Amino acid sequence: MEMAKRVSDQAELYALEEMGDGVSFENGKLKEIESQSQSGISLRVIRDGQLGFAYTKNLINREEFLQNALDSLKGKIEAPFDLPFTRHLSPLDSYDPSIEHLSNRTMVEECQRVCEFVTSKTEGQVNVSAGRKTSRIRILNSRGTDISTAFSLYAFHTAVMYPNSYASIHRPWVHKKFEKVADSSLRFILETYNQSLREVHPPGGKMKVLFLPETLYALLWRVQSVTNGRNIYQKVSPVLGRLKEKVFDEKLTLYDDPLNDQVPGARGFDDEGTTCKPFPVVEKGVLTHFYYDLYYAGKMGVPPTGHGFKGGMWEERPSPLNLPLPLSTFISSLEKNLFQSFCT
């Protein structure tokens, strides 16, 4: 950091360490056990309004690391923002130390238990996955920010597959520590699957539809897209110019609460060091806010909202993003980041 400050106007270091284990069963049988561990440091420098970027898996050659970031300034990537000075974060209970002692054997035994329970009550193919993950993040910048956080995650996924297809009745569960899946939750999957095997042919026309709570996730992707600061700046959002208007039914209130540490992955700051806070998106049907990272907030001349999260391990510039990836994707690919979801 001291080296970078001498040759740039602003500098930021982002350090990430992740470890995880995953277990998967296919058709009731053990298919794979996977362990992953990765860490690294990225550097962003701002000089004369331009952004430079580099990353490394180690700091053996710090001079070369810095020079790589300075060399990337030749790309003339605009940096219309200042790095934040962040202090006095709210304490969050986002890490459960017991996750460190969770063994692959325990996850295998839990998967076996669930497989035996479900396969004894249905003829459908049963696929089960379990995984644990720990993440530690530290962000330092030239304005004096030096913040860190850690969070733990245990995820479990059960699916009963329909014959000759990839479709299934499935459900994920996430916690900060290991917890056994309740039999009542497994019975719900079984009852839903077994009843859905009977095909019906309804008449055409407009009909009422009942959605399960998990379906809300697919609908929230649309809300995320239209309120994304990037899409507002690029003028491709269908709600452009409709801020403070009643866009939805008054029964709908939608807000992001990244400080809710009852949910795994709670964060007090985003991947740029901007403070996170409860953030309303829709209030009684009225569209109240769009969300921004540093870059698009700077382009739009508005304050950042604490939604500058990296979609990949090492991105030059985070994007305004806050919905989580599908949990089944996390279980099969533990290096994916799980972000705090919108809550209703």
Side-chain angles (χ1 to χ4, degrees):
M1 176 58 66
E2 292 302 320
M3 293 165 55
K5 287 165 63 175
R6 288 195 292 267
V7 294
S8 63
D9 300 323
Q10 300 181 64
E12 170 201 83
L13 284 167
Y14 174 92
L16 174 64
E17 178 184 351
E18 292 185 329
M19 291 185 291
D21 299 285
V23 174
S24 64
F25 277 60
E26 187 174 279
N27 199 18
K29 297 180 180 179
L30 178 63
K31 177 184 179 181
E32 185 178 52
I33 299 177
E34 180 183 25
S35 295
Q36 295 185 358
S37 176
Q38 57 185 341
S39 63
I41 299 175
S42 66
L43 169 65
R44 293 199 298 178
V45 296
I46 299 175
R47 188 168 71 184
D48 299 328
Q50 306 295 324
L51 181 66
F53 174 82
Y55 80 94
T56 182
K57 293 294 185 180
N58 58 64
L59 287 175
I60 295 175
N61 192 331
R62 304 185 182 201
E63 291 80 6
E64 182 182 33
F65 180 40
L66 174 58
Q67 189 59 49
N68 288 341
L70 295 175
D71 288 344
S72 71
L73 289 169
K74 299 174 183 177
K76 297 188 181 300
I77 303 298
E78 185 183 11
F81 58 87
D82 290 321
L83 297 173
F85 174 51
T86 303
R87 298 177 65 185
H88 308 304
L89 295 168
S90 301
L92 297 177
D93 180 20
S94 56
Y95 189 86
D96 192 310
S98 66
I99 199 78
E100 300 173 12
H101 307 292
L102 177 59
S103 66
N104 286 339
R105 175 183 291 275
T106 299
M107 290 191 289
V108 167
E109 291 174 350
E110 175 65 358
C111 288
Q112 287 177 326
R113 183 188 71 84
V114 170
C115 284
E116 292 171 0
F117 183 96
V118 177
T119 54
S120 67
K121 297 175 176 59
T122 186
E123 296 181 357
Q125 176 178 318
V126 178
N127 295 344
V128 174
S129 299
R132 67 157 185 162
K133 178 181 176 181
T134 61
S135 300
R136 290 178 170 83
I137 297 172
R138 184 183 179 190
I139 298 176
L140 302 90
N141 67 36
S142 53
R143 297 193 62 190
T145 295
D146 186 353
I147 50 181
S148 60
T149 189
F151 46 88
S152 58
L153 178 69
Y154 171 73
F156 196 94
H157 184 263
T158 301
V160 183
M161 313 298 294
Y162 287 106
N164 305 313
S165 78
Y166 286 103
S168 66
I169 296 296
H170 61 96
R171 174 168 284 190
W173 297 272
V174 290
H175 308 280
K176 290 181 287 185
K177 62 179 181 178
F178 170 77
E179 291 190 22
K180 287 190 173 183
V181 180
D183 289 352
S184 58
S185 298
L186 298 176
R187 282 193 289 269
F188 173 83
I189 294 177
L190 285 164
E191 292 171 3
T192 305
Y193 177 84
N194 291 334
Q195 292 179 20
S196 67
L197 292 176
R198 182 174 64 90
E199 293 187 13
V200 296
H201 301 279
K206 186 176 180 180
M207 293 176 288
K208 292 183 178 180
V209 178
L210 179 65
F211 291 99
L212 293 174
E214 290 78 11
T215 312
L216 185 64
Y217 184 85
L219 304 178
L220 288 181
W221 274 114
R222 279 71 177 172
V223 179
Q224 178 210 17
S225 179
V226 301
T227 56
N228 188 321
R230 175 179 56 199
N231 294 330
I232 300 300
Y233 172 73
Q234 296 175 349
K235 298 183 179 181
V236 295
S237 171
V239 297
L240 184 66
R242 301 194 64 183
L243 204 61
K244 308 304 179 184
E245 288 187 17
K246 187 176 180 181
V247 180
F248 304 96
D249 188 281
E250 63 181 12
K251 295 179 181 178
L252 179 65
T253 293
L254 182 66
Y255 64 93
D256 170 27
D257 187 3
L259 304 184
N260 178 12
D261 58 10
Q262 298 302 305
V263 179
R267 295 282 295 270
F269 57 89
D270 67 9
D271 288 332
E272 299 181 295
T274 303
T275 304
C276 296
K277 57 185 177 181
F279 184 79
V281 181
V282 179
E283 294 183 284
K284 296 184 178 180
V286 177
L287 183 63
T288 56
H289 293 90
F290 301 132
Y291 62 96
Y292 299 92
D293 64 348
L294 288 175
Y295 179 82
Y296 286 105
K299 298 292 285 186
M300 296 295 292
V302 298
T305 60
H307 292 83
F309 290 98
K310 295 177 181 288
M313 279 293 293
W314 308 112
E315 287 190 335
E316 177 180 326
R317 191 183 70 234
S319 299
L321 173 67
N322 208 36
L323 282 173
L325 296 170
L327 295 176
S328 56
T329 301
F330 160 76
I331 296 170
S332 62
S333 184
L334 287 172
E335 77 276 6
K336 297 293 185 181
N337 288 324
L338 180 72
F339 298 124
Q340 175 69 34
S341 69
F342 281 114
C343 302
T344 54

